[in-house]
Short mmCIF file of all heavy atoms in Angstrom, two decimals:
data_model
loop_
_atom_site.label_atom_id
_atom_site.label_comp_id
_atom_site.label_asym_id
_atom_site.label_seq_id
_atom_site.Cartn_x
_atom_site.Cartn_y
_atom_site.Cartn_z
N TYR B 131 -6.23 31.31 -2.96
CA TYR B 131 -5.42 32.38 -3.49
C TYR B 131 -4.16 32.43 -2.78
O TYR B 131 -4.02 32.01 -1.62
CB TYR B 131 -6.23 33.81 -3.33
CG TYR B 131 -7.38 33.75 -4.37
CD1 TYR B 131 -8.60 33.32 -3.95
CD2 TYR B 131 -7.20 34.24 -5.65
CE1 TYR B 131 -9.66 33.29 -4.79
CE2 TYR B 131 -8.29 34.24 -6.52
CZ TYR B 131 -9.52 33.83 -6.12
OH TYR B 131 -10.57 33.88 -6.94
N GLY B 156 -7.65 45.45 -4.98
CA GLY B 156 -8.73 44.50 -4.80
C GLY B 156 -9.16 44.40 -3.34
O GLY B 156 -10.24 43.97 -3.04
N PHE B 205 -11.56 43.25 2.94
CA PHE B 205 -12.44 42.38 2.12
C PHE B 205 -11.97 42.32 0.72
O PHE B 205 -11.47 43.34 0.15
CB PHE B 205 -13.86 42.91 2.18
CG PHE B 205 -14.81 42.24 1.33
CD1 PHE B 205 -15.38 41.05 1.73
CD2 PHE B 205 -15.13 42.70 0.06
CE1 PHE B 205 -16.31 40.40 0.90
CE2 PHE B 205 -16.06 42.04 -0.78
CZ PHE B 205 -16.60 40.86 -0.38
N HIS B 206 -12.03 41.16 0.07
CA HIS B 206 -11.65 41.10 -1.31
C HIS B 206 -12.81 40.62 -2.14
O HIS B 206 -13.31 39.50 -1.83
CB HIS B 206 -10.47 40.16 -1.51
CG HIS B 206 -9.68 40.50 -2.73
ND1 HIS B 206 -10.26 40.10 -4.03
CD2 HIS B 206 -8.58 41.05 -3.06
CE1 HIS B 206 -9.40 40.49 -4.93
NE2 HIS B 206 -8.38 41.09 -4.43
N ALA B 207 -13.21 41.29 -3.17
CA ALA B 207 -14.34 40.92 -3.90
C ALA B 207 -14.09 39.67 -4.62
O ALA B 207 -15.12 38.80 -4.78
CB ALA B 207 -14.69 42.04 -4.89
N LYS B 208 -12.92 39.38 -5.05
CA LYS B 208 -12.69 38.11 -5.81
C LYS B 208 -12.75 36.91 -4.92
O LYS B 208 -13.33 35.91 -5.31
CB LYS B 208 -11.25 38.25 -6.50
CG LYS B 208 -11.15 37.37 -7.73
CD LYS B 208 -10.09 37.93 -8.71
CE LYS B 208 -8.76 37.39 -8.34
NZ LYS B 208 -7.66 37.86 -9.25
N VAL B 209 -12.15 37.05 -3.78
CA VAL B 209 -12.14 35.91 -2.88
C VAL B 209 -13.47 35.76 -2.10
O VAL B 209 -13.87 34.73 -1.66
CB VAL B 209 -11.00 36.07 -1.80
CG1 VAL B 209 -10.92 34.75 -1.08
CG2 VAL B 209 -9.73 36.41 -2.49
N ARG B 210 -14.15 36.92 -1.96
CA ARG B 210 -15.46 36.99 -1.20
C ARG B 210 -15.28 36.69 0.23
O ARG B 210 -16.26 36.24 0.80
CB ARG B 210 -16.40 36.07 -1.97
CG ARG B 210 -16.40 36.10 -3.48
CD ARG B 210 -17.58 36.78 -3.99
NE ARG B 210 -18.78 36.46 -3.27
CZ ARG B 210 -19.90 37.14 -3.35
NH1 ARG B 210 -20.02 38.09 -4.25
NH2 ARG B 210 -20.95 36.75 -2.73
N THR B 211 -14.17 36.87 0.78
CA THR B 211 -14.04 36.62 2.24
C THR B 211 -13.22 37.78 2.84
O THR B 211 -12.64 38.60 2.09
CB THR B 211 -13.41 35.37 2.62
OG1 THR B 211 -12.13 35.25 2.04
CG2 THR B 211 -14.27 34.18 2.29
N GLY B 328 -1.32 34.78 -11.45
CA GLY B 328 -2.67 35.11 -11.32
C GLY B 328 -3.30 34.87 -10.04
O GLY B 328 -4.31 35.48 -9.70
N ARG B 329 -2.73 33.97 -9.25
CA ARG B 329 -3.32 33.59 -8.03
C ARG B 329 -2.92 34.49 -6.90
O ARG B 329 -3.49 34.45 -5.80
CB ARG B 329 -3.07 32.13 -7.71
CG ARG B 329 -3.84 31.17 -8.59
CD ARG B 329 -3.41 29.77 -8.45
NE ARG B 329 -3.53 29.37 -7.01
CZ ARG B 329 -2.59 28.64 -6.27
NH1 ARG B 329 -1.46 28.28 -6.91
NH2 ARG B 329 -2.80 28.35 -5.03
N VAL B 330 -1.79 35.15 -7.05
CA VAL B 330 -1.29 36.02 -5.95
C VAL B 330 -2.29 37.15 -5.66
O VAL B 330 -2.60 37.88 -6.52
CB VAL B 330 0.10 36.62 -6.30
CG1 VAL B 330 0.52 37.52 -5.15
CG2 VAL B 330 1.12 35.49 -6.45
N ILE B 331 -2.64 37.30 -4.40
CA ILE B 331 -3.64 38.22 -4.05
C ILE B 331 -3.18 39.21 -2.99
O ILE B 331 -3.75 40.18 -2.69
CB ILE B 331 -4.91 37.53 -3.55
CG1 ILE B 331 -6.14 38.44 -3.76
CG2 ILE B 331 -4.82 37.08 -2.16
CD1 ILE B 331 -7.44 37.71 -3.79
#
Side-chain angles (χ1 to χ4, degrees):
Chain B
Y131 291 90
F205 174 82
H206 201 290
K208 205 155 86 179
V209 191
R210 316 254 320 168
T211 55
R329 288 173 56 221
V330 174
I331 204 162

